Amino acid sequence: MDMRKQKVLKVLTVILAFSFAQVYVQAGLLSPAPGAPLPQRVITARLITKNNQPITVNGNSLGTGGTILTGATIETPDQVSATIDLGPAGVVELQPNSKIQLDFDENGNVRVKVIQGCVVARKSTNALPGEMEIYTDKASQKTDKARTSLGFCITPTGDLGPLGSVATAGAAIPVGISGTKIALLAGGIGAGVASVFLLSRGTNPSP
Amino acid sequence: MTTKRIIIAVLASGLCGWGIWQTARGGLARTLDEYAARGRRDNVAAWVQTIAHVTDPKAAADRAVALLPNDAETYSALGDVCQSIADYRQAREAFARAVQLRPRDYYLWLVLGVMRDQNHDQEGALQALRQSVALAPSYAEPHWQLGNLLLRMDQVDQAFSELRQAAIGSPSLWPNVIDLAWGVYRHDAGAVARELRPETDIDHMALALFFVRNNQSAAAVDQFRQCRSIAGPVRNRAQSLLDMLLGAREFTLAYEVWARMKDLPLTSRTEVRDGGFEEAILVGQSGFGWQITPNVSNVTMSFDEGQHQSGKRSLRVDFRGNSSPTSPLLTQVLLVKPLTRYHVSVFALSQEFVSAADPIITLFDASDPKVTVLAQTLPLRSDPKVWREFAVDFTTNAETRAVTISLARQNCGDPCPAFGTLWLDSVSISNLTAASVAN
């Protein structure tokens, strides 16, 4: 090996050593400063309430734009429904006079404990691997590949029953049917029932 | 001259007509807005609906926009209606147009920010909410919405800076801010306190009550210590804190709160407060003084200056018939040291007492959830007109931090009437372990 090659090798070695040193320095700088405890990435959800009316979250009054954290107890008053937007994990819809405990994580796992009333859970995409679950102390239902939406009410016995007084069979909302269509379907059934009732009322018996 | 007058008259009439037309359009649009967005349902609204040929709020809001296309109010009403029917995209567009027409209105920027966020446009929402805050820096709602958005964007420090501002503007938001911090900092009371940095005594007490409800008694009392004054509404909250600490059996911390409320020096000495019944007893106020159970049937308690073993008066208890024998009539919580031997002494005088169940003094381990009995005196009966001392010794357990001294009757069946009078005076406690060490 001649002198020139040795010089080139030396220069390369120095450059390589310098590069590694840069990497280590940078790695050292990236570590957090001790003392101030920084929270881990916060997984949050967003609250939307009907007509911006307040509902109760962990005992506090909260309206549209409020942030929901995992473990929250959420309660809706009479005539106020609420939607909890969980981002890529989906949405949870709470009907009026309902109470749930909501747990969720970064993998899209969403657990809704129904304490009172009715709730719908919709998985929006398959971007996250987790599943949504609606449960009580006695019963549990989960989303899977076949069904991406669930809707249930808690029964007096603590089981999960179908949504509303007009039952949607099995209460598992079929894949691909949007919330609007469900509402239209429920409305149609309701209108049908009302029509049958009105047509079979007979005449006014008053003189 | 006449031609000139005619021209002026025609021009004036045209101008008046144009003015009337514009006013009518404005009035119509405003009434439609009120019907659509604010639920106005009177005869005028119904008449305007008929004129405008609209049947629902959305159609009314659209018609109002058509009538006044350069009016921020009509777009704002349209935005409200779209929001109420969950058409968030059109709501966002309506508010964006309203903002263009009235750019110095903080509220329009606020609702635009909320709608952008609802449409998953966080950067746009951030811009709108920052503008809203800039236009109304003293209002709580823009800070609140901006803080929530920043939190969801994982900008925690900035978020809590805004949320604190919101709580300063509207103290009713303080519990929400505390709750969010509690979740974000994963129930780390120290981190929550450092992040929130409460400034007023009311804020300190709100945080203290939150902590004690979440089993963080030491952090709660730390907030209480930072209060500058225990007066007015702070006093009521301090009483709530005291009640919760007593309920949680955190007696040492509870004593600290009680002593400050009473302006008493902190002491670690075990003593019976007002053992001679010389001071007034406030019924229904928890703490470390004497507690009288209110409304016990057929039992009355009073101070008697005619009878006393020491001082100027004693406690008189009159039994006038059937009453629950084991219900405590008089109690006091005393701070004690664990694994320590104590001597309790009480002087009693009874007169014409007749019952199957005599009054007794019992010492319970207040730190023990099972409230185990540590010691009990003999039945409190004396010779007529002669004060008699009743004494009992007991040793505290390893976990005992407080004992309850309680006056009740012995157990007996139901009914279990009692008649007669009992006087109590000179209740005291001494530390036998310390005395023996001293000797």
Side-chain angles (χ1 to χ4, degrees):
Chain A
M1 197 181 285
D2 60 6
M3 285 294 286
R4 190 174 171 175
K5 275 188 178 175
Q6 275 188 349
K7 275 187 179 174
V8 170
L9 262 175
K10 274 183 185 172
V11 169
L12 276 173
T13 310
V14 168
I15 289 169
L16 265 174
F18 185 69
S19 306
F20 277 114
Q22 289 282 317
V23 169
Y24 288 129
V25 167
Q26 207 161 33
L29 286 174
L30 281 173
S31 63
L38 287 170
Q40 295 169 356
R41 189 175 175 276
V42 189
I43 313 299
T44 57
R46 184 174 185 273
L47 177 67
I48 304 147
T49 62
K50 187 186 175 188
N51 293 331
N52 294 335
Q53 301 224 50
I55 64 164
T56 306
V57 176
N58 292 338
N60 301 316
S61 181
L62 195 66
T64 293
T67 303
I68 307 278
L69 300 173
T70 185
T73 301
I74 305 164
E75 193 170 2
T76 51
D78 192 27
Q79 298 187 3
V80 180
S81 57
T83 303
I84 297 119
D85 185 351
L86 293 147
V91 293
V92 171
E93 293 167 11
L94 216 61
Q95 293 191 357
N97 286 320
S98 300
K99 185 176 182 180
I100 61 163
Q101 187 189 315
L102 180 66
D103 293 280
F104 50 94
D105 64 21
E106 65 273 28
N107 296 319
N109 292 302
V110 179
R111 300 189 77 227
V112 184
K113 182 177 185 181
V114 191
I115 300 162
Q116 180 188 310
C118 305
V119 65
V120 175
R122 298 175 203 283
K123 203 169 176 233
S124 60
T125 63
N126 288 320
L128 295 172
E131 296 296 346
M132 298 181 107
E133 179 185 8
I134 295 178
Y135 71 101
T136 65
D137 288 334
K138 283 186 170 180
S140 168
Q141 292 282 338
K142 284 184 179 180
T143 56
D144 52 34
K145 284 178 183 171
R147 59 176 184 180
T148 55
S149 299
L150 303 167
F152 291 99
C153 299
I154 189 168
T155 64
T157 57
D159 287 309
L160 288 172
L163 270 181
S165 55
V166 182
T168 53
I173 299 163
V175 183
I177 294 185
S178 69
T180 316
K181 284 179 182 169
I182 293 160
L184 286 172
L185 190 67
I189 294 168
V193 172
S195 305
V196 169
F197 173 72
L198 287 170
L199 290 171
S200 61
R201 273 200 318 168
T203 55
N204 188 350
S206 62
Chain B
M1 193 67 185
T2 312
T3 314
K4 198 176 176 183
R5 281 184 179 173
I6 288 169
I7 291 168
I8 290 170
V10 168
L11 279 175
S13 301
L15 205 63
C16 280
W18 182 82
I20 290 166
W21 173 240
Q22 288 302 323
T23 308
R25 278 164 63 97
L28 196 66
R30 284 280 181 277
T31 313
L32 286 170
D33 282 345
E34 285 178 13
Y35 159 73
R38 278 167 269 290
R40 181 173 171 179
R41 296 288 183 272
D42 57 12
N43 289 338
V44 176
W47 180 69
V48 165
Q49 263 183 274
T50 312
I51 290 175
H53 303 295
V54 292
T55 50
D56 62 277
K58 175 68 170 53
D62 283 333
R63 188 88 179 95
V65 166
L67 285 166
L68 290 181
N70 292 316
D71 183 53
E73 200 61 37
T74 56
Y75 282 100
S76 174
L78 177 62
D80 286 341
V81 173
C82 291
Q83 196 181 354
S84 72
I85 58 172
D87 185 350
Y88 300 125
R89 184 167 295 184
Q90 201 183 343
R92 178 186 58 182
E93 285 162 12
F95 287 127
R97 179 76 183 121
V99 158
Q100 279 180 345
L101 293 166
R102 201 194 289 159
R104 295 197 59 74
D105 187 336
Y106 90 96
Y107 182 76
L108 293 177
W109 283 106
L110 175 70
V111 285
L112 175 63
V114 172
M115 277 307 104
R116 281 178 175 170
D117 190 18
Q118 204 125 314
N119 285 280
H120 303 109
D121 172 15
Q122 287 192 324
E123 288 301 331
L126 194 63
Q127 190 190 6
L129 292 176
R130 284 198 194 286
Q131 184 64 25
S132 182
V133 166
L135 289 168
S138 302
Y139 287 13
E141 188 65 15
H143 287 291
W144 171 250
Q145 289 292 346
L146 179 58
N148 274 277
L149 176 64
L150 287 165
L151 193 59
R152 290 193 293 274
M153 294 173 80
D154 211 25
Q155 297 176 29
V156 176
D157 282 342
Q158 280 190 59
F160 278 106
S161 170
E162 294 297 333
L163 293 171
R164 262 198 312 274
Q165 288 295 317
I168 289 167
S170 175
S172 64
L173 289 172
W174 194 242
N176 298 67
V177 178
I178 295 170
D179 189 48
L180 282 174
W182 183 246
V184 167
Y185 285 96
R186 296 173 199 276
H187 304 184
D188 179 344
V192 170
R194 278 193 294 280
E195 182 63 86
L196 296 183
R197 300 193 299 275
E199 289 175 2
T200 67
D201 289 350
I202 292 282
D203 294 347
H204 279 299
M205 285 313 300
L207 195 52
L209 290 171
F210 181 89
F211 281 152
V212 75
R213 273 194 290 269
N214 287 278
N215 305 316
Q216 302 289 321
S217 301
V221 175
D222 191 46
Q223 290 299 316
F224 171 77
R225 285 183 196 123
Q226 294 176 53
C227 290
R228 286 171 284 271
S229 162
I230 312 296
V234 175
R235 189 165 199 84
N236 296 337
R237 287 163 172 81
Q239 184 65 49
S240 301
L241 176 64
L242 174 62
D243 292 344
M244 283 190 262
L245 288 168
L246 287 170
R249 301 181 193 284
E250 294 281 4
F251 294 106
T252 311
L253 294 170
Y255 180 80
E256 185 181 337
V257 174
W258 181 80
R260 189 168 173 201
M261 287 174 71
K262 298 278 178 190
D263 284 329
L264 295 171
L266 271 180
T267 174
S268 59
R269 200 154 54 93
T270 300
E271 59 182 1
V272 176
R273 276 159 293 281
D274 188 25
F277 301 100
E278 305 298 325
E279 299 167 12
I281 299 173
L282 289 174
V283 179
Q285 202 172 75
S286 63
F288 288 82
W290 289 117
Q291 303 291 313
I292 287 178
T293 308
N295 305 322
V296 180
S297 58
N298 297 317
V299 179
T300 53
M301 279 180 273
S302 57
F303 292 122
D304 190 346
E305 293 183 356
Q307 285 287 0
H308 52 84
Q309 193 276 330
S310 63
K312 291 180 178 170
R313 59 189 191 179
S314 64
L315 182 74
R316 175 180 174 144
V317 187
D318 289 296
F319 296 90
R320 293 198 172 89
N322 189 34
S323 63
S324 172
T326 52
S327 294
L329 302 169
L330 176 79
T331 59
Q332 185 173 136
V333 177
L334 315 178
L335 291 184
V336 292
K337 292 187 175 74
L339 299 174
T340 304
R341 190 152 181 78
Y342 289 97
H343 174 82
V344 169
S345 164
V346 56
F347 284 82
L349 176 66
S350 62
Q351 182 178 297
E352 296 168 358
F353 188 85
V354 181
S355 176
D358 286 323
I360 47 168
I361 295 280
T362 308
L363 286 134
F364 296 101
D365 185 344
S367 299
D368 181 2
K370 292 175 185 166
V371 198
T372 50
V373 173
L374 294 171
Q376 216 163 43
T377 63
L378 292 170
L380 302 178
R381 278 182 184 267
S382 70
D383 294 331
K385 299 183 179 178
V386 179
W387 283 92
R388 180 181 164 189
E389 183 182 13
F390 294 84
V392 66
D393 294 352
F394 67 93
T395 303
T396 54
N397 298 316
E399 303 299 324
T400 310
R401 297 291 182 277
V403 295
T404 304
I405 184 166
S406 171
L407 169 69
R409 283 196 293 143
Q410 292 167 310
N411 201 1
C412 73
D414 185 28
C416 185
F419 297 91
T421 304
L422 174 76
W423 287 266
L424 289 181
D425 204 356
S426 308
V427 188
S428 64
I429 186 167
S430 54
N431 182 339
L432 291 176
T433 310
S436 64
V437 169
N439 290 335

